[in-house]
Amino acid sequence: MKTFHCNRCQQLVFFENVLCERCDALLGYLPDVGEISAFEPVDAAPEAGGNLWRSLHPDAQGRLYRQCHNYAVENVCNWMIPADSPDALCRACQFTATIPDLTVPENRFYWYRLEVAKRRLLYTLMTLGLPLESRQENPETGLEFAFLENQEEGDPVMTGHHHGRITLNIAEADDAAREKARTELGEPYRTLLGHFRHESGHYFFDRLIAGRPMWEAAFRLRFGDERASYADALQAHYDNGPPADWAQHYISAYASMHPWEDWAETWAHYLHMVDALDTAVSYGLALLPDHPLEPELTDQTPVEEASFNNLMSRWFPLTYVLNSLNRSLGQPDGYPFTLAPPVIDKLRFVHRVIAASANKPA
């Protein structure tokens, strides 16, 4: 995630901000520019639609925008819409097909958290140049999200992906419930954003690999044959757990369950990497240790332009420092993973698939 600034007073602001804390300017994200912008209000007659704002970001060249309905009315969004667009919802909100029941008081807060994580996912996918269509744009293969909650009767809502529809149990937006699940399942890392990234991996497997013989053959060489029974693999995983040496071959214990899950976990991890490196580059982070044997980090190549070798050469120094800082604060490692050679090869494959889809060098 890059850094953003208020265009009125140059205050540092964040991707989720709606108001500059220094000058009170309205803030909003412009997906057509890829930037957070400050805005000034524009007087408009009711018949002109009202709710008009002029962007102060130089790349927007003074264009007019409207707040997304979920920004102006629901307070769960901060994306803007071009003034001449007929849409009431912004680009990000158009991907949400089902929202939680807002008559339940805490559900609005959970919806807000879900939308924040979803927008961060979409930002990364857009930055990488991946094909991204909503169901409105492509009813056959478009992407949509459903945010559902458990009911007193019926089966619990399972977070997952099915034919382009990603379902999230809104309980994952509850820190206590998510931490309880993380502990019970023995997971070192479980986040709301991580769920979005994982499930998007299933979606992009269907879009970028399935039905493409060259990619399928390369996939099976690394991840295994995805045509193996998923139900049988799931039962075996719950009955027997992961293999004892899973860390030598997989990014997580869950990845060992089935090739589809191995791919989704590896895909999610790749998105973790590029987003963290994007943030480091945006902040101009450099590591210049006193000891010559300590890892250095000086390369500032944008992640969307970097080769895989370049990404990996920067990733290890960054995680070394991240974990060292966390330990200094008495916190668990911020990066509780080890990357065995087969895992690095799988990450390289993910990089190749993404680069090919965006017509970029690998």
Side-chain angles (χ1 to χ4, degrees), residues 142-161:
L143 175 64
E144 67 177 8
F145 297 87
F147 303 144
L148 306 177
E149 62 183 315
N150 294 334
Q151 303 296 324
E152 292 184 4
E153 298 180 359
D155 295 330
V157 173
M158 301 300 294
T159 292
H161 167 264

Side-chain angles (χ1 to χ4, degrees), residues 96 181 185 220 224 252 256 282 285 295 298 310 316 323-324 344-345:
T96 302
L185 295 173
R220 290 166 187 160
S252 69
S256 68
S282 186
L285 179 66
T298 58
N310 179 281
F316 287 114
N323 286 343
S324 297
I344 294 175
D345 186 48

